[in-house]
């Protein structure tokens, strides 16, 4: 019997706890810098996502790890070893592409076995490992079918099996679920997470889908203009973004431009450009209780789910010092939640998301109040 994937990984372990390291990596195409000084440490066995909008450099970064592109400058290490002169087929990684890249003239079994045959494994070993891979992705019953006879989700499973059959140290996933419809995409997210937990292989996924990255990842690197804007756990990225870009890109948020007018212990008083007075708890990183913020110019981020709606003002409620009058301009019923848009008297338009706990929704143009506490907003350096 061949060893299971996890056992093969254990045999290959080195002293380092990192599977992938990028050190000051640059990639320049004809004068355009696609990747700008990227530093990344990807831990052994984690599900790591590289997230960002189109053109931010995330796919180029994945291709650099895979060996399909060579860095203009910097160093890439896999399992502690430099792969600067190692071709893609000799790196301990395998890539699953959004297009699946299956051979249409081959059966499922032959697609999965292709790489092993190129490496000249014995027929018995190929048969055993292909069967193991089929079992992993629950495609045993489809082994004799051709890709054209499979659904999108089934083709995705075959692509995963073809990558896993080689026992890679790192599995690279390039927008792996991008070609699937929404319902199947959700189902495959669960399967991908389960597969990662069962195998213990390091997964590195590129995606532009924030919800996908938040739900699947142990850690996320957010890229912007070829550079890493922030690395952290999903909760760190969502609850404590370090820049206005990260706050705006990860999920929905309401952003207010303004400047700090006064600090009172751990509370900042901020005057927005449109005349609102906001009270925000100072970030701990700002030299202890915000006594010396790095800049008077700030951006305040308030997540839609943190804002409360009320038909009555809470101006004298100490729990909600940020309370402003507005008009309800849009209501979208989303089943589990209701999305509201409120235009304040200042002209600011706020997005609010609340659980669907009532059958009666306020009428449009209803006078309404939006309220949140100091800790519900986050001050970011502009």
């Amino acid at each position: 019997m061949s060893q299971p994937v996890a056992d093969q990984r254990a045999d290959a372990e080195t002293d380092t706890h990192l599977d992938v390291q990028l050190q000051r990596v640059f990639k320049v195409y004809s004068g355009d810098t696609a990747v700008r000084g990227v530093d990344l440490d990807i831990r052994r066995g984690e599900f790591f996502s590289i997230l960002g909008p189109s053109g931010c450099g995330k796919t180029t970064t994945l291709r650099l790890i895979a060996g399909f592109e060579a860095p203009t400058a910097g160093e890439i290490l896999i399992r502690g070893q430099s792969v600067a002169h190692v071709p893609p087929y000799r790196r301990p990684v395998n890539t699953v592409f959004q297009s699946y890249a299956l051979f249409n003239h081959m059966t499922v079994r032959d697609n999965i076995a292709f790489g092993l045959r190129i490496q000249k494994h014995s027929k018995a070993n190929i048969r055993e490992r292909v069967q193991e891979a089929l079992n992993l992705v629950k495609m045993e019953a489809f082994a004799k079918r051709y890709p054209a006879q499979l659904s999108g989700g089934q083709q995705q499973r075959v692509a995963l099996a073809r990558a896993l059959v080689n026992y890679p140290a790192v599995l690279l996933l390039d927008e792996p679920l991008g070609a699937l419809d929404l319902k199947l995409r959700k189902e495959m997210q669960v399967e991908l997470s389960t597969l990662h937990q069962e195998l213990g292989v390091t997964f590195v996924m590129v995606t532009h889908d924030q919800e996908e990255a938040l739900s699947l990842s142990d850690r996320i690197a957010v890229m912007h203009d070829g550079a890493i804007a922030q690395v952290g756990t999903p909760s760190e990225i969502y609850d404590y973004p370090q820049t206005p870009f990260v706050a705006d890109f990860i999920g929905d948020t309401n952003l207010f431009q303004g400047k700090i007018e006064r600090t009172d212990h751990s509370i900042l008083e901020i005057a927005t450009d449109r005349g609102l007075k906001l009270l925000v708890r100072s970030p701990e990183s700002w030299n202890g209780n915000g006594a010396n913020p790095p800049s008077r110019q700030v951006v305040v981020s308030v997540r839609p789910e943190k804002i409360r709606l009320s038909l009555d003002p809470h101006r004298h409620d100490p729990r909600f010092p940020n309370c402003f009058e507005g008009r309800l301009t849009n209501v979208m019923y989303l089943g589990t939640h209701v999305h509201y848009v409120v235009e304040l008297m200042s002209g600011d338009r706020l997005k609010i998301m609340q659980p669907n706990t009532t059958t009666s929704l306020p009428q449009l143009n209803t006078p309404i109040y939006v309220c949140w506490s100091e800790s519900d907003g986050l001050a970011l350096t502009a």
Side-chain angles (χ1 to χ4, degrees):
M1 283 290 290
S2 63
Q3 286 178 283
V5 176
D7 292 346
Q8 290 277 336
R9 290 186 68 260
D11 288 350
E13 284 190 356
T14 63
D15 292 336
T16 179
H17 68 287
L18 301 175
D19 264 351
V20 180
Q21 294 168 273
L22 277 68
Q23 301 173 347
R24 298 295 295 164
V25 170
F26 287 81
K27 181 61 182 178
V28 180
Y29 296 103
S30 303
D32 291 330
T33 304
V35 175
R36 303 172 183 272
V38 166
D39 287 300
L40 278 180
D41 288 337
I42 300 175
R43 301 165 187 158
R44 182 154 303 170
E46 77 175 332
F47 198 126
F48 191 94
S49 291
I50 303 174
L51 173 67
S54 298
C56 72
K58 58 186 185 296
T59 296
T60 301
T61 300
L62 198 77
R63 291 176 61 83
L64 289 166
I65 298 170
F68 301 137
E69 303 281 355
T72 305
E75 189 73 75
I76 298 174
L77 293 87
I78 300 177
R79 290 278 172 95
Q81 302 296 315
S82 172
V83 291
H85 304 293
V86 180
Y89 62 89
R90 292 199 178 278
R91 298 188 183 193
V93 304
N94 271 95
T95 306
V96 177
F97 299 98
Q98 179 178 348
S99 62
Y100 312 137
L102 300 177
F103 299 112
N104 289 323
H105 65 287
M106 292 184 182
T107 65
V108 166
R109 185 179 295 279
D110 289 338
N111 263 283
I112 297 172
F114 180 78
L116 298 177
R117 288 181 178 140
I118 293 295
Q119 297 170 29
K120 301 188 184 305
H121 286 261
S122 69
K123 289 184 178 179
N125 190 30
I126 291 173
R127 186 167 53 251
E128 194 170 336
R129 285 171 64 168
V130 168
Q131 190 60 46
E132 178 190 338
L134 284 166
N135 294 342
L136 277 173
V137 298
K138 300 177 177 62
M139 288 293 289
E140 307 95 314
F142 302 88
K144 295 182 180 180
R145 292 195 186 182
Y146 291 86
Q149 298 172 314
L150 303 176
S151 68
Q154 290 167 340
Q155 290 182 46
Q156 180 61 267
R157 291 190 185 95
V158 176
L160 285 167
R162 187 176 61 181
L164 292 167
V165 77
N166 293 304
Y167 297 149
V170 180
L171 186 65
L172 305 177
L173 302 154
D174 186 8
E175 301 274 6
L177 310 180
L180 305 179
D181 62 63
L182 181 60
K183 186 174 186 297
L184 185 55
R185 189 179 183 120
K186 297 292 186 186
E187 293 174 0
M188 286 300 297
Q189 285 176 7
V190 175
E191 292 193 20
L192 202 58
S193 178
T194 301
L195 195 61
H196 173 256
Q197 292 171 22
E198 290 177 353
L199 298 178
V201 174
T202 301
F203 281 22
V204 181
M205 180 178 73
V206 156
T207 182
H208 66 272
D209 188 311
Q210 301 97 319
E211 182 181 332
E212 190 167 275
L214 289 170
S215 62
L216 290 175
S217 310
D218 296 313
R219 287 191 304 145
I220 300 168
V222 182
M223 287 195 74
H224 183 218
D225 287 341
I228 301 296
Q230 185 174 348
V231 178
T233 64
S235 61
E236 288 169 346
I237 294 287
Y238 186 83
D239 293 326
Y240 303 104
Q242 294 175 357
T243 69
F245 170 79
V246 174
D248 193 35
F249 185 74
I250 303 295
D252 279 331
T253 195
N254 299 286
L255 297 177
F256 301 90
Q257 301 276 346
K259 62 181 180 180
I260 298 171
E261 290 204 331
R262 186 171 61 88
T263 62
D264 183 9
H265 301 292
S266 62
I267 304 299
L268 305 176
E269 184 179 297
I270 296 167
T272 74
D273 294 349
R274 294 197 175 199
L276 298 180
K277 297 287 187 180
L278 305 181
L279 295 182
V280 182
R281 191 175 300 280
S282 175
E284 293 182 5
S285 60
W286 287 7
N287 292 336
N289 298 331
N292 296 295
S295 169
R296 288 192 67 206
Q297 296 296 322
V298 295
V299 174
V300 176
S301 167
V302 186
R303 296 288 187 190
E305 69 273 14
K306 301 289 188 181
I307 300 175
R308 295 155 181 82
L309 286 177
S310 174
L311 296 176
D312 300 311
H314 287 272
R315 296 190 186 282
H316 302 295
D317 190 333
R319 296 175 301 166
F320 308 116
N322 300 292
C323 191
F324 308 100
E325 185 180 354
R327 293 292 183 275
L328 190 62
T329 61
N330 191 276
V331 179
M332 293 180 64
Y333 179 79
L334 302 177
T336 58
H337 288 74
V338 182
H339 182 274
Y340 302 92
V341 177
V342 173
E343 183 170 335
L344 303 185
M345 306 303 285
S346 62
D348 294 286
R349 291 171 65 86
L350 269 61
K351 296 169 285 188
I352 299 101
M353 185 75 74
Q354 294 198 334
N356 178 21
T357 57
T358 179
T359 55
S360 60
L361 302 177
Q363 297 295 313
L364 293 183
N365 295 315
T366 300
I368 206 161
Y369 293 87
V370 297
C371 308
W372 65 90
S373 71
E374 300 104 322
S375 58
D376 288 332
L378 185 66
L380 305 166
T381 304

